[in-house]
Amino acid sequence: MKKGKISGIKNLLNAHGAFAALLLIILAASFIYSDFMTYTNISNVFRQVSAKGIVAVGMTFVILTRGIDLSVGSSVALSGILAAMFSDGHPVLMIAVPLLTGILIGLINGFCIAKLKIAPFIVTLSLMMAVRGVVYIVSDEHTMPYGEAGEGLSRFVNADFLGIPVLTIFFLVCLFVAMAAASRTRFGRNIYAVGGNEDAANLMGIPVDRVKILAYVICGFCSALGGLLLSARLGSGQPYVANAWEMDAIAAVAIGGTSLAGGVGKFSGTFAGVMIVGLVSNIINLQGTLSSWWQNIITGAILLAVVVVQSQIRTHTERTKRKGETA
């Protein structure tokens, strides 16, 4: 197969493959389930995926740098608990404390990875366990209901604006801001450069460590924001929420065409990946006769297929490049 053709397939997969799969799922579900395309069901899907989608947006920044963040689920839970703790006081504290805590977690992750040169898997796994432990201790493993200050936020987050859930508007705003940052700012270009070839980025004068740290800080902020909005939607901070959200976020990003090897991907693809994961869950609920564990099986199979295809394309591209250099 010629190099140009391989490049074309690669671009098609990254840019359009996830949306093609999403469209097929929507068409099939619309044909099979009469309730699928109703406003109630579609708005429910968006409500279900929006908080997780915000987390996936943050995860995309990290994966583009060839990193990973396993602490996002624990950060979501801690953010919700902190919001509930401060929901009897000033509304500003209720919002600011969880978000600043998420930023701090991201800063710790980024510093240990960029400055101390510890593997992202080890650092974020450690934070995942430590932060979840803090959640259980602070909450005493009990649900913490919102106080008076939190009730207003809860009503706001659960409302609709022009027929669109407010929670979904937050997700879309985060998505569009991330898309603009990735395509129109120096930081966005640096993210792709660092993920594509860190050594080359260093030679180009790109502040690699700063870019990595900022990527993890953004991911921590997005996780905290997702947790704050999720707790507002539920009206309480719950210590057991967001278990395995890190896996769902990684799956959504990868299914959306972002390479786990870094440097390749689009935030629009992350949106498609989030929707695919959410629709799989929704279709299982509509079916009614399948165990919810089928979502894990189906999502895992889709993820494996995407990663295998990405690996094969990358391997073929590298071989073609080596042949061209030796010719």
Side-chain angles (χ1 to χ4, degrees), residues 60-66 181-182 185-197 201 206 210-212 214-216 218 262-264 267:
T60 306
F61 279 103
V62 168
I63 291 178
L64 283 172
T65 65
R66 207 170 189 173
T185 68
R186 179 180 297 178
F187 169 70
R189 293 189 292 272
N190 289 347
I191 281 281
Y192 285 96
V194 170
N197 190 321
I206 293 173
R210 191 189 309 167
V211 170
K212 285 185 176 182
L214 187 53
Y216 281 93
I218 292 172
V264 175
F267 285 90

Side-chain angles (χ1 to χ4, degrees), residues 250-320:
I250 293 168
V253 174
I255 290 170
T258 298
S259 172
L260 296 177
V264 175
K266 292 185 177 181
F267 285 90
S268 56
T270 295
F271 170 78
V274 168
M275 294 307 301
I276 288 172
V277 173
L279 287 178
V280 168
S281 176
N282 180 247
I283 289 169
I284 290 172
N285 291 335
L286 290 175
Q287 181 64 28
T289 58
L290 293 175
S291 167
S292 60
W293 294 113
W294 275 101
Q295 178 185 355
N296 293 1
I297 296 172
I298 296 170
T299 302
I302 295 173
L303 175 60
L304 179 61
V306 170
V307 172
V308 167
V309 172
Q310 288 180 349
S311 176
Q312 292 299 311
I313 291 176
R314 186 168 60 254
T315 300
H316 191 100
T317 302
E318 290 174 354
R319 288 176 180 172
T320 303

Side-chain angles (χ1 to χ4, degrees), residues 22-103:
L22 178 61
L23 179 60
L24 288 174
I25 291 172
I26 291 173
L27 292 175
S30 301
F31 180 76
I32 297 171
Y33 305 104
S34 59
D35 294 336
F36 177 77
M37 286 302 293
T38 62
Y39 169 78
T40 300
N41 185 63
I42 296 301
S43 63
N44 182 58
V45 170
F46 275 104
R47 281 192 174 90
Q48 292 289 342
V49 305
S50 291
K52 194 175 294 184
I54 293 171
V55 176
V57 169
M59 185 69 78
T60 306
F61 279 103
V62 168
I63 291 178
L64 283 172
T65 65
R66 207 170 189 173
I68 202 84
D69 190 347
L70 301 179
S71 67
V72 293
S74 298
S75 296
V76 167
L78 180 59
S79 176
I81 292 296
L82 291 175
M85 286 178 61
F86 287 92
S87 62
D88 275 326
H90 199 285
V92 173
L93 286 177
M94 176 187 172
I95 296 172
V97 172
L99 296 182
L100 290 174
T101 302
I103 290 173

